[in-house]
């Protein structure tokens, strides 16, 4: 298992709403089979363990 410490990017849109982004390593994304043609993923958030899980959406 590979692990990296990343930063969350916070920005505001023109109406003042806050948005967040996390840039994922392209190596990981490609390994999942995600590309410009098949870019759907499934996100799950576990409130109990405070974990976000990203899965390739088949």
């Amino acid at each position: 298992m590979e692990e990296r410490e990343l930063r969350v990017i916070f920005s505001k849109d023109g109406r003042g709403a806050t948005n967040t982004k996390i840039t994922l390593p392209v190596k990981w994304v490609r390994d999942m089979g995600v590309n410009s043609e098949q870019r759907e993923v499934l996100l799950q958030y576990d409130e109990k363990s405070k974990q976000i899980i990203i899965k390739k959406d088949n």
Side-chain angles (χ1 to χ4, degrees):
M1 178 191 305
E2 190 175 342
E3 184 174 306
R4 294 193 191 181
E5 187 171 317
L6 305 171
R7 291 184 179 235
V8 177
I9 300 166
F10 287 84
S11 62
K12 289 195 176 198
D13 67 13
R15 294 177 290 182
T18 301
N19 297 301
T20 58
K21 295 180 185 178
I22 298 175
T23 301
L24 302 173
V26 71
K27 176 183 171 186
W28 296 359
V29 174
R30 286 184 181 148
D31 185 61
M32 290 174 64
V34 177
N35 57 48
S36 61
E37 300 294 318
Q38 298 177 330
R39 50 190 191 161
E40 291 78 17
V41 294
L42 178 65
L43 279 123
Q44 297 175 328
Y45 177 64
D46 184 343
E47 293 179 23
K48 192 176 201 181
S49 65
K50 306 294 186 211
Q51 291 183 349
I52 297 172
I53 301 165
I54 304 172
K55 296 180 181 182
K56 174 70 172 113
D57 189 18
N58 296 326

